[in-house]
């Protein structure tokens, strides 16, 4: 809700800056026409350019035009629809392009890896476009696992889930393993 409010305020502010800058730029070079059609308060503001030299008027018009241009660019970027961060567009294993929800990939990879023995928690991060996905897995395991063996097991399960079950091409899989805290574990269970 706050994000929508912020966007509305930003858009209204930018439209106000554009309007003021445009009126200022026009008013600098057309003070007589504008003064004749304006109220007394606006006319007193428009008297200031009449007392300025041409260099000052040109600088004022350039600054007003620059403010309009910058506000317009920010407004265009603000109104532009956001890139769909919720989907990933990749090539499938058979070579066709597909757009799939990032959460669908995340949930399936997380579920598959989380089911492995000694995996306490997994947080996948999916990125990549075109030729394949880059899958990064932050995995928390039991403190007594064989790290090289568990890493390969996690990679194999993630690759099978993405390539074989989902039909998507994988470019790279990285695994970062962290151990869960030692709790009430008997020394014989951790190899001591």
């Amino acid at each position: 809700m706050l994000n929508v409010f912020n966007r509305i305020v930003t858009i209204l502010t930018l439209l106000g800056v554009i309007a003021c800058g445009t009126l200022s730029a026009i008013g600098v070079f057309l003070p007589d026409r504008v003064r004749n059609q304006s109220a007394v308060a606006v006319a007193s503001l428009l008297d200031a350019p009449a007392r300025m030299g041409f260099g000052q008027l040109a600088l004022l018009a350039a600054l007003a035009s620059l403010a309009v241009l910058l506000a317009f660019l920010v407004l265009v970027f603000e109104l532009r629809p956001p890139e769909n961060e919720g989907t990933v567009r990749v090539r499938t294993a058979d070579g066709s392009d597909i757009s799939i929800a990032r959460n669908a990939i995340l949930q399936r990879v997380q579920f598959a890896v989380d089911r492995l023995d000694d995996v306490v928690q997994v947080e996948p991060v999916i990125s990549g476009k075109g030729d394949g996905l880059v899958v990064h897995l932050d995995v928390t395991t039991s403190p007594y696992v064989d790290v090289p063996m568990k890493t390969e097991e996690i990679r194999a399960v993630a690759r099978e889930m993405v390539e074989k079950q989902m039909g998507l091409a994988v470019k790279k899989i990285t695994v970062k393993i962290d151990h869960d805290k030692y709790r009430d574990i008997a020394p014989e269970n951790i190899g001591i």
Side-chain angles (χ1 to χ4, degrees), residues 82-112:
E83 292 182 17
N84 196 351
E85 295 179 11
T87 62
V88 177
R89 186 172 190 85
V90 293
R91 185 159 285 122
T92 60
D94 65 1
S96 61
D97 286 341
I98 187 171
S99 183
I100 188 165
R102 188 181 308 267
N103 280 343
I105 303 168
L106 290 174
Q107 289 173 353
R108 290 186 72 170
V109 170
Q110 185 175 18
F111 180 75

Tab-separated table of all heavy atoms in Angstrom, residues 82-112:
chain	number	residue	atom	x	y	z
A	82	PRO	N	7.119	-2.394	-14.740
A	82	PRO	CA	8.316	-3.077	-14.268
A	82	PRO	C	8.547	-4.358	-15.050
A	82	PRO	O	7.602	-4.997	-15.522
A	82	PRO	CB	8.008	-3.378	-12.797
A	82	PRO	CG	6.526	-3.390	-12.723
A	82	PRO	CD	6.049	-2.416	-13.772
A	83	GLU	N	9.821	-4.687	-15.197
A	83	GLU	CA	10.126	-5.957	-15.841
A	83	GLU	C	9.546	-7.060	-14.984
A	83	GLU	O	9.545	-6.976	-13.758
A	83	GLU	CB	11.636	-6.128	-15.977
A	83	GLU	CG	12.255	-5.159	-16.939
A	83	GLU	CD	13.748	-5.400	-17.071
A	83	GLU	OE1	14.223	-6.481	-16.687
A	83	GLU	OE2	14.422	-4.487	-17.553
A	84	ASN	N	9.080	-8.074	-15.624
A	84	ASN	CA	8.439	-9.153	-14.889
A	84	ASN	C	9.493	-9.980	-14.165
A	84	ASN	O	10.085	-10.885	-14.727
A	84	ASN	CB	7.614	-10.022	-15.843
A	84	ASN	CG	6.643	-10.879	-15.096
A	84	ASN	OD1	6.682	-10.951	-13.869
A	84	ASN	ND2	5.766	-11.516	-15.820
A	85	GLU	N	9.742	-9.605	-12.914
A	85	GLU	CA	10.729	-10.314	-12.122
A	85	GLU	C	10.186	-11.649	-11.625
A	85	GLU	O	10.916	-12.458	-11.097
A	85	GLU	CB	11.168	-9.447	-10.942
A	85	GLU	CG	11.894	-8.206	-11.383
A	85	GLU	CD	12.311	-7.332	-10.223
A	85	GLU	OE1	12.222	-7.796	-9.071
A	85	GLU	OE2	12.724	-6.203	-10.461
A	86	GLY	N	8.909	-11.862	-11.814
A	86	GLY	CA	8.309	-13.091	-11.346
A	86	GLY	C	8.479	-14.246	-12.311
A	86	GLY	O	8.140	-15.378	-11.981
A	87	THR	N	8.986	-13.976	-13.511
A	87	THR	CA	9.169	-15.056	-14.473
A	87	THR	C	10.605	-15.088	-14.972
A	87	THR	O	11.319	-14.097	-14.910
A	87	THR	CB	8.235	-14.900	-15.688
A	87	THR	OG1	8.559	-13.693	-16.362
A	87	THR	CG2	6.783	-14.917	-15.275
A	88	VAL	N	10.980	-16.238	-15.464
A	88	VAL	CA	12.291	-16.433	-16.060
A	88	VAL	C	12.057	-16.972	-17.462
A	88	VAL	O	11.268	-17.893	-17.660
A	88	VAL	CB	13.131	-17.448	-15.237
A	88	VAL	CG1	14.458	-17.697	-15.886
A	88	VAL	CG2	13.309	-16.976	-13.827
A	89	ARG	N	12.731	-16.383	-18.428
A	89	ARG	CA	12.598	-16.848	-19.812
A	89	ARG	C	13.873	-17.592	-20.164
A	89	ARG	O	14.952	-17.021	-20.190
A	89	ARG	CB	12.395	-15.668	-20.752
A	89	ARG	CG	12.102	-16.087	-22.142
A	89	ARG	CD	11.714	-14.880	-23.000
A	89	ARG	NE	11.211	-15.303	-24.267
A	89	ARG	CZ	9.968	-15.642	-24.517
A	89	ARG	NH1	9.090	-15.609	-23.573
A	89	ARG	NH2	9.596	-16.037	-25.715
A	90	VAL	N	13.748	-18.889	-20.398
A	90	VAL	CA	14.915	-19.734	-20.680
A	90	VAL	C	14.612	-20.683	-21.832
A	90	VAL	O	13.471	-20.884	-22.219
A	90	VAL	CB	15.339	-20.566	-19.448
A	90	VAL	CG1	15.853	-19.681	-18.348
A	90	VAL	CG2	14.227	-21.442	-18.959
A	91	ARG	N	15.668	-21.266	-22.304
A	91	ARG	CA	15.562	-22.275	-23.350
A	91	ARG	C	15.405	-23.636	-22.667
A	91	ARG	O	16.096	-23.950	-21.713
A	91	ARG	CB	16.826	-22.250	-24.219
A	91	ARG	CG	16.749	-23.181	-25.398
A	91	ARG	CD	17.721	-22.777	-26.484
A	91	ARG	NE	17.185	-21.592	-27.174
A	91	ARG	CZ	17.820	-20.429	-27.281
A	91	ARG	NH1	19.003	-20.265	-26.784
A	91	ARG	NH2	17.272	-19.417	-27.914
A	92	THR	N	14.514	-24.432	-23.188
A	92	THR	CA	14.325	-25.767	-22.640
A	92	THR	C	15.411	-26.693	-23.180
A	92	THR	O	16.194	-26.325	-24.043
A	92	THR	CB	12.935	-26.331	-23.005
A	92	THR	OG1	12.823	-26.384	-24.420
A	92	THR	CG2	11.832	-25.477	-22.426
A	93	ALA	N	15.442	-27.899	-22.647
A	93	ALA	CA	16.456	-28.861	-23.069
A	93	ALA	C	16.313	-29.209	-24.552
A	93	ALA	O	17.301	-29.520	-25.216
A	93	ALA	CB	16.360	-30.118	-22.215
A	94	ASP	N	15.085	-29.137	-25.098
A	94	ASP	CA	14.894	-29.458	-26.520
A	94	ASP	C	15.102	-28.254	-27.439
A	94	ASP	O	14.940	-28.363	-28.654
A	94	ASP	CB	13.515	-30.076	-26.755
A	94	ASP	CG	12.380	-29.114	-26.463
A	94	ASP	OD1	12.647	-27.950	-26.085
A	94	ASP	OD2	11.216	-29.517	-26.609
A	95	GLY	N	15.443	-27.065	-26.866
A	95	GLY	CA	15.783	-25.914	-27.677
A	95	GLY	C	14.709	-24.857	-27.818
A	95	GLY	O	14.959	-23.803	-28.385
A	96	SER	N	13.500	-25.079	-27.334
A	96	SER	CA	12.447	-24.066	-27.438
A	96	SER	C	12.545	-23.099	-26.256
A	96	SER	O	13.119	-23.415	-25.223
A	96	SER	CB	11.076	-24.736	-27.481
A	96	SER	OG	10.851	-25.476	-26.299
A	97	ASP	N	11.977	-21.915	-26.437
A	97	ASP	CA	11.973	-20.914	-25.369
A	97	ASP	C	10.698	-21.054	-24.547
A	97	ASP	O	9.624	-21.330	-25.082
A	97	ASP	CB	12.038	-19.496	-25.942
A	97	ASP	CG	13.419	-19.155	-26.456
A	97	ASP	OD1	14.374	-19.845	-26.060
A	97	ASP	OD2	13.542	-18.204	-27.246
A	98	ILE	N	10.851	-20.807	-23.241
A	98	ILE	CA	9.710	-20.900	-22.342
A	98	ILE	C	9.840	-19.821	-21.280
A	98	ILE	O	10.933	-19.443	-20.890
A	98	ILE	CB	9.620	-22.303	-21.697
A	98	ILE	CG1	8.341	-22.456	-20.885
A	98	ILE	CG2	10.824	-22.574	-20.828
A	98	ILE	CD1	8.082	-23.868	-20.412
A	99	SER	N	8.719	-19.308	-20.832
A	99	SER	CA	8.684	-18.359	-19.729
A	99	SER	C	7.971	-19.064	-18.576
A	99	SER	O	6.837	-19.510	-18.728
A	99	SER	CB	7.924	-17.106	-20.143
A	99	SER	OG	7.937	-16.172	-19.113
A	100	ILE	N	8.646	-19.165	-17.449
A	100	ILE	CA	8.096	-19.907	-16.312
A	100	ILE	C	8.231	-19.069	-15.052
A	100	ILE	O	9.176	-18.291	-14.911
A	100	ILE	CB	8.789	-21.280	-16.158
A	100	ILE	CG1	8.085	-22.133	-15.110
A	100	ILE	CG2	10.252	-21.125	-15.846
A	100	ILE	CD1	8.473	-23.593	-15.152
A	101	ALA	N	7.279	-19.212	-14.167
A	101	ALA	CA	7.301	-18.460	-12.916
A	101	ALA	C	8.512	-18.869	-12.085
A	101	ALA	O	8.783	-20.052	-11.892
A	101	ALA	CB	6.021	-18.701	-12.128
A	102	ARG	N	9.239	-17.863	-11.626
A	102	ARG	CA	10.431	-18.102	-10.820
A	102	ARG	C	10.079	-18.873	-9.543
A	102	ARG	O	10.809	-19.754	-9.116
A	102	ARG	CB	11.080	-16.768	-10.468
A	102	ARG	CG	12.424	-16.874	-9.790
A	102	ARG	CD	12.994	-15.513	-9.459
A	102	ARG	NE	13.038	-14.612	-10.578
A	102	ARG	CZ	14.083	-14.452	-11.372
A	102	ARG	NH1	15.169	-15.126	-11.155
A	102	ARG	NH2	14.040	-13.596	-12.367
A	103	ASN	N	8.932	-18.562	-8.952
A	103	ASN	CA	8.522	-19.254	-7.728
A	103	ASN	C	8.282	-20.741	-7.965
A	103	ASN	O	8.520	-21.553	-7.078
A	103	ASN	CB	7.268	-18.615	-7.135
A	103	ASN	CG	7.587	-17.367	-6.350
A	103	ASN	OD1	8.731	-17.133	-5.967
A	103	ASN	ND2	6.581	-16.556	-6.118
A	104	ALA	N	7.809	-21.098	-9.146
A	104	ALA	CA	7.583	-22.519	-9.438
A	104	ALA	C	8.904	-23.280	-9.413
A	104	ALA	O	8.990	-24.379	-8.859
A	104	ALA	CB	6.910	-22.677	-10.798
A	105	ILE	N	9.940	-22.680	-9.989
A	105	ILE	CA	11.252	-23.327	-9.979
A	105	ILE	C	11.802	-23.360	-8.559
A	105	ILE	O	12.292	-24.397	-8.099
A	105	ILE	CB	12.225	-22.580	-10.923
A	105	ILE	CG1	11.663	-22.519	-12.335
A	105	ILE	CG2	13.586	-23.247	-10.914
A	105	ILE	CD1	12.404	-21.561	-13.246
A	106	LEU	N	11.700	-22.247	-7.865
A	106	LEU	CA	12.220	-22.163	-6.494
A	106	LEU	C	11.580	-23.206	-5.581
A	106	LEU	O	12.275	-23.905	-4.841
A	106	LEU	CB	11.980	-20.763	-5.914
A	106	LEU	CG	12.780	-19.612	-6.480
A	106	LEU	CD1	12.306	-18.283	-5.907
A	106	LEU	CD2	14.250	-19.789	-6.193
A	107	GLN	N	10.263	-23.304	-5.648
A	107	GLN	CA	9.555	-24.227	-4.765
A	107	GLN	C	9.918	-25.682	-5.054
A	107	GLN	O	10.136	-26.468	-4.134
A	107	GLN	CB	8.043	-24.033	-4.895
A	107	GLN	CG	7.555	-22.754	-4.286
A	107	GLN	CD	6.094	-22.503	-4.568
A	107	GLN	OE1	5.448	-23.227	-5.327
A	107	GLN	NE2	5.558	-21.447	-3.980
A	108	ARG	N	10.009	-26.020	-6.332
A	108	ARG	CA	10.312	-27.418	-6.665
A	108	ARG	C	11.736	-27.793	-6.293
A	108	ARG	O	11.983	-28.873	-5.770
A	108	ARG	CB	10.038	-27.667	-8.147
A	108	ARG	CG	8.527	-27.617	-8.411
A	108	ARG	CD	8.187	-27.992	-9.780
A	108	ARG	NE	8.369	-29.428	-9.991
A	108	ARG	CZ	7.955	-30.057	-11.062
A	108	ARG	NH1	7.347	-29.399	-12.006
A	108	ARG	NH2	8.154	-31.342	-11.207
A	109	VAL	N	12.678	-26.892	-6.550
A	109	VAL	CA	14.069	-27.171	-6.173
A	109	VAL	C	14.193	-27.227	-4.654
A	109	VAL	O	14.844	-28.126	-4.103
A	109	VAL	CB	15.023	-26.114	-6.773
A	109	VAL	CG1	16.416	-26.237	-6.192
A	109	VAL	CG2	15.064	-26.242	-8.289
A	110	GLN	N	13.559	-26.298	-3.966
A	110	GLN	CA	13.614	-26.285	-2.509
A	110	GLN	C	13.012	-27.563	-1.932
A	110	GLN	O	13.584	-28.177	-1.032
A	110	GLN	CB	12.878	-25.064	-1.966
A	110	GLN	CG	12.980	-24.905	-0.471
A	110	GLN	CD	12.350	-23.616	0.004
A	110	GLN	OE1	11.559	-22.985	-0.712
A	110	GLN	NE2	12.702	-23.192	1.191
A	111	PHE	N	11.895	-27.984	-2.447
A	111	PHE	CA	11.249	-29.200	-1.957
A	111	PHE	C	12.127	-30.426	-2.190
A	111	PHE	O	12.277	-31.269	-1.309
A	111	PHE	CB	9.886	-29.382	-2.635
A	111	PHE	CG	9.151	-30.598	-2.185
A	111	PHE	CD1	8.547	-30.632	-0.942
A	111	PHE	CD2	9.063	-31.723	-2.992
A	111	PHE	CE1	7.863	-31.758	-0.510
A	111	PHE	CE2	8.389	-32.851	-2.579
A	111	PHE	CZ	7.785	-32.878	-1.328
A	112	ALA	N	12.721	-30.525	-3.380
A	112	ALA	CA	13.534	-31.691	-3.707
A	112	ALA	C	14.785	-31.771	-2.838
A	112	ALA	O	15.146	-32.838	-2.329
A	112	ALA	CB	13.920	-31.680	-5.182
